[in-house]
Amino acid sequence: MRGMYLKGDKNVSERRFLLRSKSSNSSQSSPRTPKSSKNISRRNSSREDEFREVFRHFDTDNDGKISAFELRAYFGSIGEHMSHEDAQEIVDELDTDGDNFINFEDFKKLLMQKEGSSEEDESIKSAFEMYELEKGCGRITPKSLQRVLSRLGDSKSYDECVTMIQVYDIDGNGELDYHEFRQMMTT
């Protein structure tokens, strides 16, 4: 997390990403274990312990909850300043029981979503590569879309493929880049 920098008043979703990435740094160092029920149980316990350790970094008064003030103080301690309003917005978004705090279960849910989203990102990248005109070119054209859809048994005309691309073609160049494709896949 320390390698990521926020300048000025970045948006709340970027700070939420930083919250999520705090746990992914610690998870990268944990060894993989074979899949047996005993090891899975140990690994789940280990993951929960890692989550609790990360949670403790934010919960400075050790009351089992993270307030907007604590969230703001944590980011300030790593040189990333956020307004109280931004911190409160994050708390409001994550708070599931309406007590105006992030409890451990709320925090754990956020971190588990982060783990799931990295798997989702890999799936989206793989799908994008399948549709690219040429491997590594970074774009999906109407022709490449038509080719792949035809292989998948969904024949579309060239014009239909042009129309499909236009819906998510943000820059208007008639092709989809990865960011446009990702937007299409996640909406």
Side-chain angles (χ1 to χ4, degrees):
M1 177 173 263
R2 292 181 188 272
M4 307 202 67
Y5 297 97
L6 294 175
K7 303 275 187 216
D9 40 346
K10 292 285 185 180
N11 68 35
V12 172
S13 64
E14 289 176 351
R15 288 193 174 95
R16 239 183 11 256
F17 171 78
L18 286 173
L19 275 172
R20 291 176 179 173
S21 66
K22 177 69 178 161
S23 77
S24 66
N25 291 342
S26 63
S27 69
Q28 291 173 353
S29 63
S30 65
R32 297 264 184 215
T33 56
K35 288 190 178 185
S36 74
S37 61
K38 190 175 184 180
N39 286 336
I40 290 172
S41 174
R42 233 184 269 142
R43 187 171 55 230
N44 288 344
S45 174
S46 173
R47 282 309 278 152
E48 185 140 335
D49 291 343
E50 287 178 23
F51 292 163
R52 285 193 189 283
E53 184 61 32
V54 173
F55 185 81
R56 280 188 215 109
H57 286 288
F58 291 91
D59 181 21
T60 56
D61 63 4
N62 297 316
D63 66 351
K65 301 174 182 179
I66 300 171
S67 67
F69 176 78
E70 287 171 310
L71 189 60
R72 192 170 171 223
Y74 174 79
F75 278 105
S77 76
I78 63 169
E80 307 301 338
H81 301 284
M82 75 168 54
S83 70
H84 179 75
E85 291 78 20
D86 285 348
Q88 189 60 55
E89 189 175 329
I90 291 171
V91 169
D92 292 345
E93 185 174 324
L94 298 176
D95 176 25
T96 57
D97 61 6
D99 66 353
N100 211 23
F101 293 96
I102 301 170
N103 63 30
F104 178 69
E105 291 304 313
D106 296 333
F107 191 76
K108 185 169 82 170
K109 188 186 313 180
L110 171 73
L111 298 181
M112 292 174 79
Q113 286 174 348
K114 163 63 176 132
E115 289 177 347
S117 71
S118 65
E119 291 173 13
E120 180 183 328
D121 287 343
E122 287 302 315
S123 296
I124 292 172
K125 285 178 188 174
S126 294
F128 180 76
E129 290 171 359
M130 183 174 79
Y131 283 94
E132 282 180 303
L133 177 62
E134 297 171 6
K135 184 135 178 89
C137 72
R139 64 186 198 277
I140 299 171
T141 64
K143 191 73 172 167
S144 65
L145 178 61
Q146 184 182 28
R147 183 188 70 228
V148 174
L149 289 177
S150 177
R151 286 182 188 162
L152 295 173
D154 187 12
S155 294
K156 300 280 186 205
S157 72
Y158 181 83
D159 290 337
E160 288 173 313
C161 291
V162 167
T163 303
M164 291 170 68
I165 285 178
Q166 284 176 342
V167 173
Y168 292 97
D169 182 16
I170 296 167
D171 60 11
N173 67 355
E175 303 172 341
L176 294 180
D177 62 27
Y178 176 74
H179 299 289
E180 293 165 334
F181 182 77
R182 188 177 196 298
Q183 179 73 26
M184 176 184 76
M185 297 299 286
T186 57
T187 56

